[in-house]
Amino acid sequence: MKLYNTMSRKVEDFKPIEDHKVGMYCCGPTVYNFAHIGNLRTYVFEDILRRTLEKNGYKVKHVMNITDVGHLTGDGDDGEDKLEKRSRETGRSVWDIAAFYTEAFMKDTASLNIKRPGVICKATDHINEMIGIVKMLEDGGHTYISGGNVYFSIDTIDDYGKLAKLNLDELKSGARISVDDNKRNPKDFVLWFTNGKFKDQVMVWPSPWGVGYPGWHLECSAMSMKYLGRHFDIHCGGIDAIPVHHTNEIAQSEAATGEKPWVNYWCHGEFLINDKGKMSKSSGEFLTLSVLVEHGYDPLDYRYFCLTGHYRSQLKFSYEALDHARSARQGLNEKVASLKKDVQPDPVLSEKAASYRDAFYDAMSNDLHAPQALAALWSMLKDQDVSDGNKLALLLDMDSILGLGLDAVEAEKAESVPEEVLSLVKERAEAKKNKDFAKSDEIRDRLAAMGWSVKDTPKGPVVAKIV
RNA sequence: GGAGUCGUACCCAAGUGGCCUAAGGGGACGGUCUGCAAAACCGUUUUUUCAUCGGUUCGAAUCCGAUCGACUCCUCCA
């Protein structure tokens, strides 16, 4: 299996630390609002990665955090905690807000067929672990206290910014954020706040440095190491996390434990954009999954849409493009339904069928080339040299990665058709037999008005509910 | 100001030196079938074309340069 590693900027052969096992940490949501569909694209990508690893025989320990404290708004380190802000705006407690949006996030990801990570951990449950890391950093001489806050000093390590390939000299000259006088180096970041801008902060904890709350980057270091160890295989997130969040995670993790590298493979998903650019949660207007559902789309239409582009390319969202994905997925579902009606899956593949299977898995195992894998799937479906039994078996197998819910698609059946409809269909067949087409067409219109379509096949008429 | 990515046929989107006379999906149109439809299947839209202009090469959508355009990051962000 091959994976693109942001650290090396190359596609590399994936080699786990332990045979047949993978430890994978994915940055989760900050639960102060609904996830928009751009956020969700990243979780779909991570799910596809996990499923592909599993298909390649790895047992994946998938850890995802829930950020419910410490994620600040605005520039620099002087913003307000996002949860606190939301709480003030709505009059609800921060804990309510976090619980509500965590629940919403779980619902969204479940409806997208995203497998639930084995460990889902909340930042507020791991304050002690975070304090432990700050202590380790303090012991190692990587911190200083200024203006009441504990800072990480990036000048105490010699490879700060290696993931993002930051050129520190140039960054300083081009910095646009206002300089925080408390920092020795503008790129230093807060590990522990005791002197937040907002005195009425609700979520605070005691610490050796005073009552306060942790910096945002700390939680991912603390929780990933708690569940996956001081050195693990894969760390995922959106590309925006590279220059700041992941850069700081690496700095504090490697400085705290002395273990390098902390993570072997860094995998990042590109943005979903629209005609105006990227969707941003903080800029106000954004599309959520429930908005798509209100427009009549199935969440899996969006999942299919995500699969039509490669995860490292920007994907342009439009309702037109989503329509295309929906049509394609419906076609796939219909095909599966009709196959299920006629045949049982036949896992004994012909040579031809096996070649499509190989093309599919080669594409997925080569840095998750889902669009190519889908092409292999469709070519297989259209190939008349592949038996229907093989087709069905292959589709269901491929879907263990694609996650389009093909196993849940039911075989076409006419059972639940109301008696009234059935008798009309019979009547129409009779009229057709007598070549009374005016009457048969009239009955067809009546059926359509009742919400049923009728198709004449060589085997006789077939009724189906109009969707 | 600095760093980087991208521009592929009607739309989305693969492909990153020869097997490309460019996957796959969607749409549209045409055909087969049908009393007519729908569905299904087949074909066309896709023979020198991959933003534009130059260059390298026996050979380029794929490499290099310039130009135009779009986007991202350096600041919270998936």
Side-chain angles (χ1 to χ4, degrees):
Chain A
M1 167 146 193
K2 289 184 188 332
L3 267 183
Y4 181 85
N5 189 347
T6 304
M7 189 60 88
S8 67
R9 306 287 156 101
K10 287 193 178 77
V11 176
E12 300 180 9
D13 278 322
F14 176 74
K15 292 194 187 74
I17 295 168
E18 248 185 284
D19 278 351
H20 310 301
K21 285 188 185 168
V22 176
M24 170 165 131
Y25 184 87
C26 299
C27 287
T30 301
V31 284
Y32 70 104
N33 204 335
F34 293 108
H36 62 64
I37 58 176
N39 300 121
L40 293 169
R41 182 187 181 198
T42 299
Y43 298 103
V44 170
F45 141 62
E46 289 160 353
D47 183 57
I48 298 291
L49 172 57
R50 170 188 173 166
R51 288 167 179 262
T52 304
L53 286 164
E54 287 175 343
K55 203 71 192 179
N56 275 279
Y58 296 108
K59 188 165 173 17
V60 179
K61 185 166 184 186
H62 182 187
V63 180
M64 185 185 75
N65 65 297
I66 300 287
T67 299
D68 53 359
V69 68
H71 201 160
L72 306 184
T73 64
D75 295 347
D77 288 312
D78 58 352
E80 186 176 5
D81 184 283
K82 291 190 171 188
L83 273 292
E84 298 267 351
K85 177 166 181 267
R86 191 74 181 175
S87 168
R88 192 167 42 68
E89 286 167 358
T90 59
R92 291 157 61 192
S93 83
V94 282
W95 307 101
D96 272 0
I97 304 262
F100 177 81
Y101 289 111
T102 301
E103 174 72 27
F105 178 79
M106 291 305 163
K107 226 180 106 202
D108 280 350
T109 50
S111 70
L112 285 167
N113 255 348
I114 291 171
K115 283 189 172 183
R116 204 181 163 87
V119 177
I120 295 175
C121 41
K122 294 198 299 189
T124 49
D125 288 340
H126 297 78
I127 301 296
N128 284 338
E129 285 84 350
M130 296 191 223
I131 289 172
I133 288 183
V134 181
K135 278 184 188 160
M136 288 163 82
L137 290 170
E138 193 170 45
D139 292 345
H142 295 288
T143 66
Y144 60 92
I145 294 173
S146 179
N149 297 330
V150 183
Y151 287 88
F152 181 88
S153 171
I154 67 161
D155 294 313
T156 62
I157 59 174
D158 57 12
D159 57 0
Y160 181 81
K162 60 184 172 183
L163 178 70
K165 310 240 181 288
L166 299 181
N167 181 329
L168 295 179
D169 296 333
E170 285 179 16
L171 277 176
K172 278 180 212 168
S173 60
R176 292 196 312 197
I177 48 168
S178 55
V179 179
D180 179 344
D181 292 336
N182 292 320
K183 291 183 181 181
R184 294 179 187 168
N185 183 316
K187 296 300 283 182
D188 288 347
F189 54 93
V190 177
L191 296 166
W192 189 267
F193 291 91
T194 65
N195 188 21
K197 198 169 167 183
F198 301 91
K199 300 297 177 203
D200 54 350
Q201 185 89 8
V202 176
M203 289 196 283
V204 290
W205 295 264
S207 85
W209 311 278
V211 173
Y213 56 99
W216 171 44
H217 313 299
L218 206 47
E219 60 168 291
C220 288
S221 292
M223 294 191 279
S224 62
M225 288 198 266
K226 172 170 179 177
Y227 295 105
L228 298 171
R230 291 182 170 196
H231 178 205
F232 59 92
D233 297 295
I234 300 177
H235 193 133
C236 301
I239 41 147
D240 56 311
I242 297 170
V244 179
H245 183 51
H246 289 168
T247 287
N248 291 346
E249 277 185 53
I250 292 170
Q252 68 197 6
S253 298
E254 295 186 348
T257 67
E259 185 133 2
K260 283 188 193 182
W262 170 48
V263 169
N264 284 355
Y265 299 88
W266 288 88
C267 300
H268 294 96
E270 250 290 358
F271 278 136
L272 180 76
I273 60 170
N274 57 29
D275 50 356
K276 293 190 194 86
K278 73 165 180 171
M279 291 182 193
S280 168
K281 210 192 265 191
S282 46
S283 74
E285 264 200 3
F286 56 87
L287 280 169
T288 60
L289 198 58
S290 51
V291 168
L292 298 189
V293 170
E294 279 164 28
H295 279 75
Y297 296 95
D298 188 296
L300 294 179
D301 294 333
Y302 180 67
R303 185 175 173 108
Y304 190 98
F305 169 74
C306 289
L307 293 169
T308 63
H310 188 249
Y311 77 94
R312 282 193 288 114
S313 298
Q314 289 182 347
L315 186 59
K316 219 179 296 167
F317 177 83
S318 66
Y319 279 108
E320 195 190 359
L322 187 60
D323 284 341
H324 297 170
R326 172 165 62 180
S327 297
R329 193 180 75 85
Q330 281 175 351
L332 192 58
N333 277 350
E334 278 163 24
K335 190 76 195 174
V336 170
S338 93
L339 283 171
K340 278 185 176 176
K341 190 180 72 172
D342 294 334
V343 297
Q344 288 295 313
D346 174 9
V348 183
L349 300 183
S350 67
E351 202 175 308
K352 198 71 184 285
S355 74
Y356 287 114
R357 178 200 59 199
D358 293 346
F360 180 90
Y361 287 111
D362 286 352
M364 290 311 298
S365 299
N366 180 24
D367 196 32
L368 312 180
H369 276 59
Q372 289 179 329
L374 278 180
L377 180 153
W378 283 104
S379 302
M380 179 273 287
L381 266 185
K382 287 195 157 182
D383 193 330
Q384 304 193 341
D385 293 339
V386 177
S387 74
D388 284 352
N390 275 179
K391 280 180 183 171
L392 184 56
L394 270 178
L395 281 174
L396 295 174
D397 188 57
M398 291 168 174
D399 197 47
S400 63
I401 285 184
L402 301 176
L404 295 170
L406 299 185
D407 52 337
V409 172
E410 290 191 27
E412 280 177 0
K413 54 186 176 189
E415 281 143 35
S416 53
V417 181
E419 203 54 44
E420 192 189 0
V421 172
L422 280 177
S423 74
L424 278 170
V425 170
K426 227 176 260 175
E427 203 181 317
R428 174 171 171 276
E430 197 64 27
K432 271 185 55 140
K433 208 167 148 195
N434 300 327
K435 302 220 183 290
D436 185 355
F437 299 123
K439 185 173 180 189
S440 71
D441 287 350
E442 185 255 326
I443 294 175
R444 187 165 63 197
D445 290 343
R446 268 169 67 191
L447 284 169
M450 290 161 68
W452 294 86
S453 71
V454 55
K455 302 168 191 171
D456 296 319
T457 72
K459 293 173 196 161
V462 172
V463 275
K465 194 140 194 143
I466 297 170
V467 217

